[in-house]
Amino acid sequence: MLNVLIVGVGGQGIVLAAKILAQAATEKGWQVRTAETIGMAQRGGNVASHVRMGNLGEEVYASLVPKGRADCVIALEPGEGLRALPYLASDGLLVSAQAGIASVAADLSGAHYDPTSALEHLVQVVPHFVAVDDEAIGKAAGSRKALNVGMLGAAVRASNERGCGLKDALSLDDLKAALAVCVKPQFLDMNLKVLD
């Protein structure tokens, strides 16, 4: 069983990223369950998508990843990655974007939000941590709207290279095949470019 948690703030495409990951697993013949928890607002609130995949042929009964059992956490926002730490398995992989977006909760509290401190903490406490230059992904694609797919690609690549997280269960080619099913045709080339 592989457990993945994708986190960020509303508007970043977290739900679509989970759909793409689930489609890639389904095309391999695995049983998959997904669930979303969506925060205060559709755009700007906290969002978490749970993806559980029976990669060894096992049945998946529950859709929520239990705390301490996420093989991989993909954070499209560093502060949300920090909030998701209780879900990460001790040998799990955490892949985080570097740029921060203050959530609605942070904005409403009036507190200063510094994504650098979140990243520094993640580097210190997560043995398998990868920080992704999300601004470079946006420039390569010509749009930050492809960040979700870029982060999926970064997680698959890091898993393959490090032998943790998703290990070698999924490949970039698996994601490309899933993109063709999940992404509108007018956005397909942009998202394939990000993976390449």
Side-chain angles (χ1 to χ4, degrees), residues 63-196:
S63 55
L64 295 177
V65 175
K67 287 188 177 180
R69 300 284 301 278
D71 298 294
C72 185
V73 171
I74 302 169
L76 279 72
E77 200 289 316
E80 294 304 313
L82 194 58
R83 284 171 29 99
L85 271 181
Y87 288 91
L88 187 65
S90 59
D91 60 345
L93 171 68
L94 196 150
V95 178
S96 177
Q98 293 176 346
I101 301 171
S103 70
V104 170
D107 282 345
L108 290 175
S109 73
H112 173 70
Y113 173 62
D114 179 15
T116 306
S117 62
L119 286 168
E120 289 171 355
H121 185 74
L122 290 170
V123 167
Q124 292 173 1
V125 301
V126 179
H128 302 290
F129 176 72
V130 175
V132 176
D133 185 352
D134 49 310
E135 290 183 11
I137 290 173
K139 285 180 184 174
S143 172
R144 285 194 56 86
K145 291 186 179 211
L147 174 61
N148 56 352
V149 172
M151 293 300 292
L152 284 176
V156 166
R157 183 174 177 190
S159 294
N160 293 172
E161 291 173 354
R162 295 175 177 228
C164 61
L166 299 168
K167 300 181 173 118
D168 61 354
L170 292 171
S171 69
L172 293 178
D173 287 337
D174 295 328
L175 291 181
K176 288 178 183 181
L179 277 173
V181 175
C182 298
V183 175
K184 292 179 181 177
Q186 64 265 36
F187 300 117
L188 184 58
D189 286 343
M190 175 181 66
N191 283 288
L192 290 171
K193 184 178 179 182
V194 167
L195 288 180
D196 287 337

Side-chain angles (χ1 to χ4, degrees), residues 22 31-35 50-54 59-64:
Q31 189 176 89
V32 182
R33 299 273 185 254
T34 64
H50 300 249
V51 183
R52 304 191 75 207
M53 302 171 278
E59 289 190 42
V60 182
Y61 295 106
S63 55
L64 295 177

